[in-house]
Amino acid sequence: MPDRLFVDRRLAAVYDPLDPDRSDLEAYLAIADELGARTVLDLGCGTGTFAIMLAARGLDVTGVDPAAASVDVARRKEGAGRVRWVVGEIDAVADLRFDLVTMTANVAQVFTTDESWRDVLARAHDVLRPGGHLVFETRDPDRQAWLEWTREQSTTTADVEGEGRVESWHEVTDVEGELVTFRSTLVFHDATITSQSTLRFRDRHQVGRDLDAAGFVTLDIRDAPDRPGRELVFVANRPDDSLAGSKERGWRELGVIDEALLRGEIDEEGWHQRVLEIVEPAYLAATTPQGQSGNSGDGVRWEQARRLLLDAVPRRESPVVVLDIGCANGHLMESLVAWAAEEGRHVEPYGVEISARLADLARARLPEWGDRIWTGNAMSWVPPRRFEVVRTGLDYVPPRRRAEFVERLTAEVVAPGGRLVVGVFNEEKDRDSVADALRGWGFQVSGSTSRAHRDARLRYKAVWVDC
């Protein structure tokens, strides 16, 4: 049963005026954008502020809350017609599927028993699409926020239409282990009404274990920007066991690893190791040659996404020596040879791969090229020769080292007069962020190529620098 603060119609009507500053929700809007969510379940939506903010950005939003009085307030707000409102618990939307489930404010802490908490996590897992995310906040118990829940420190007042001046404050009435009980008092011109609430303060380790038990992978634990050091914001993922899902999860996790490097929590060796832990299992688990090279599509989509690299290989009668950095299982090497042959051209392929297991796979698949597939980190690998064309990506290079990486390749790996090719990458049709980055690092972009992407907003692209 929800607290009286939310089910009493008079109290629900003054909730927003007494707490008008919801700038804390901006961080959650940014996370929804970051995760690329299109369908969102705002669980414990209350008076609907966050759900309406999401819907205003064009997202498909469902707001669920067991307090009918609060949902009625939400339904009367401007923009409420864009949201699907449901009075009930999460099982009321069990037949729907979402990219993102959110629990903002105190929602995650109202589940005070182990049974109710684990049940809501399990149900959130069920309504998420594979690859979807659960994002919620919980107060850090180490900060003992309840010590500030006194009348003196929590009193707020507001002039409310139809009610006049309303005064409100909170007072703790009991602390027992992880459970904190407090009383909210609201003073109207003609009445004083109280509501009792209990929240559970779980520590980060317990929450992490509970997420793991529910089938989630915790991607990040962040600060709430408006309350640094006081809130724990969990970003958890329902894994998608397909290759596409593994790659998508990998991109999210790469962002977390990049941040850890920037904060000094890991060094570059640790960065490469953690990246390898993401990439290697996904590639090795794939059952197709293109899958083992990181492409989740079929042979036709592989060719559509990779053949454009041949545009960067100079046309001439004699063979062109090409090095593929991050060659994985060698499938791009053999594909470039085959595609070039179809055009009467000749490519001599070489490869280097940071994963010893993937390099071994490449040599086993392509024994005729076994002596030209090396294991090494291209950031420090000493090539036995220089190459006319060197192809690389930048995704698996620490962001702060990318300019240095490109400089090293052009100075020590590409042959004089040769070409460094960056790609293939997916990018919006009207953007050139990779080319702009290269120019910003002082390199002259000599050429580029692109092909249609299955997502009409994107293009497959590659750019190159002549040395």
Side-chain angles (χ1 to χ4, degrees):
M1 177 68 181
D3 301 336
R4 186 181 184 184
L5 192 62
F6 307 108
V7 299
D8 184 294
R9 294 191 178 279
R10 193 174 192 186
L11 300 188
V14 300
Y15 180 86
D16 289 331
L18 288 167
D19 187 18
D21 181 9
R22 296 313 310 272
S23 57
D24 59 302
L25 298 175
E26 294 293 337
Y28 289 93
L29 292 174
I31 291 174
D33 287 344
E34 172 191 338
L35 298 177
R38 293 290 178 265
T39 55
V40 183
L41 169 62
D42 184 19
L43 185 59
C45 65
T47 58
T49 301
F50 184 52
I52 292 170
M53 291 169 71
L54 286 167
R57 299 167 84 95
L59 304 186
D60 183 320
V61 183
T62 300
V64 173
D65 200 289
S70 294
V71 175
D72 285 345
V73 172
R75 286 185 170 126
R76 293 194 296 270
K77 291 183 175 180
E78 183 179 353
R82 301 189 186 100
V83 179
R84 182 186 301 106
W85 302 106
V86 178
V87 176
E89 305 286 353
I90 191 171
D91 55 1
V93 292
D95 57 336
L96 301 178
R97 294 296 177 266
F98 305 93
D99 300 325
L100 175 64
V101 175
T102 61
M103 292 187 284
T104 62
N106 294 332
V107 175
Q109 292 183 258
V110 304
F111 302 99
T112 56
T113 67
D114 290 340
E115 180 182 10
S116 63
W117 172 236
R118 291 168 184 167
D119 181 67
V120 77
L121 291 180
R123 292 177 184 271
H125 186 277
D126 290 344
V127 301
L128 281 169
R129 293 189 178 93
H133 295 84
L134 170 65
V135 176
F136 61 91
E137 68 182 58
T138 183
R139 289 180 174 86
D140 187 343
D142 291 340
R143 292 300 299 265
Q144 298 182 300
W146 59 86
L147 296 178
E148 300 173 7
W149 298 349
T150 65
R151 180 171 181 174
E152 293 73 22
Q153 296 184 74
S154 66
T155 295
T156 183
T157 59
D159 292 319
V160 182
E161 184 178 355
E163 290 286 5
R165 193 164 187 80
V166 181
E167 184 177 15
S168 171
W169 65 85
H170 310 296
E171 293 175 295
V172 173
T173 58
D174 186 52
V175 178
E176 184 176 349
E178 295 179 334
L179 300 177
V180 177
T181 300
F182 60 98
R183 181 176 55 249
S184 299
T185 301
L186 290 91
V187 180
F188 296 83
H189 67 94
D190 61 347
T192 297
I193 305 175
T194 62
S195 172
Q196 182 164 289
S197 307
T198 300
L199 300 178
R200 184 165 177 179
F201 285 72
R202 299 174 177 87
D203 66 34
R204 68 173 65 215
H205 305 294
Q206 182 60 58
V207 174
R209 288 192 293 269
D210 291 339
L211 285 168
D212 184 65
F216 286 100
V217 174
T218 301
L219 300 183
D220 200 8
I221 305 174
R222 308 180 181 182
D223 257 342
D226 62 314
R227 296 182 296 280
R230 302 170 71 89
E231 303 271 353
L232 306 172
V233 179
F234 282 80
V235 180
N237 170 249
R238 174 183 172 172
D240 181 346
D241 292 330
S242 68
L243 175 64
S246 296
K247 288 181 63 185
E248 180 64 20
R249 183 168 66 254
W251 296 128
R252 306 298 184 204
E253 293 172 350
L254 277 174
V256 175
I257 297 169
D258 289 345
E259 288 297 320
L261 178 63
L262 289 173
R263 291 193 297 262
E265 296 170 3
I266 57 174
D267 58 15
E268 289 189 8
E269 182 178 352
W271 187 95
H272 284 291
Q273 181 59 40
R274 287 177 62 177
V275 169
L276 198 58
E277 289 170 359
I278 296 171
V279 175
E280 190 178 72
Y283 282 33
L284 291 173
T287 57
T288 64
Q290 62 270 17
Q292 293 169 349
S293 277
N295 185 280
S296 56
D298 56 18
V300 173
R301 281 174 53 185
W302 166 260
E303 183 170 353
Q304 175 68 12
R306 297 293 184 271
R307 185 162 182 156
L308 75 163
L309 289 168
L310 206 56
D311 295 349
V313 177
R315 291 178 175 272
R316 68 181 192 211
E317 294 184 3
S318 59
V320 180
V321 177
V322 178
L323 172 68
D324 182 21
I325 293 178
C327 66
N329 71 338
H331 189 48
L332 181 58
M333 294 169 59
E334 62 182 342
S335 296
L336 287 174
V337 169
W339 296 331
E342 291 174 4
E343 300 178 11
R345 303 161 64 189
H346 189 184
V347 166
E348 284 289 343
Y350 292 76
V352 61
E353 170 57 50
I354 192 172
S355 164
R357 295 176 67 190
L358 284 171
D360 287 344
L361 175 61
R363 286 186 283 264
R365 291 184 64 252
L366 306 167
E368 69 276 21
W369 296 334
D371 61 348
R372 58 171 69 177
I373 297 173
W374 298 283
T375 301
N377 181 343
M379 183 67 77
S380 56
W381 170 68
V382 179
R385 57 168 297 172
R386 306 282 285 272
F387 305 88
E388 294 171 277
V389 175
V390 175
R391 187 219 68 85
T392 189
L394 298 178
D395 300 310
Y396 301 132
V397 180
R400 66 186 183 188
R401 296 289 301 278
R402 288 174 183 169
E404 180 185 346
F405 179 68
V406 173
E407 176 64 36
R408 180 178 189 274
L409 295 183
T410 56
E412 301 178 28
V413 183
V414 180
R419 176 172 291 173
L420 175 66
V421 182
V422 179
V424 174
F425 51 89
N426 303 333
E427 190 174 55
E428 290 86 347
K429 290 190 292 187
D430 57 351
R431 295 187 62 187
D432 293 300
S433 55
V434 174
D436 289 344
L438 288 167
R439 294 186 186 101
W441 299 333
F443 299 96
Q444 182 176 344
V445 176
S446 307
S448 64
T449 187
S450 69
R451 295 289 188 279
H453 193 283
R454 62 184 182 277
D455 184 332
R457 297 167 297 180
L458 304 176
R459 298 280 291 179
Y460 296 114
K461 297 182 181 181
V463 299
W464 54 87
V465 173
D466 288 337
C467 303

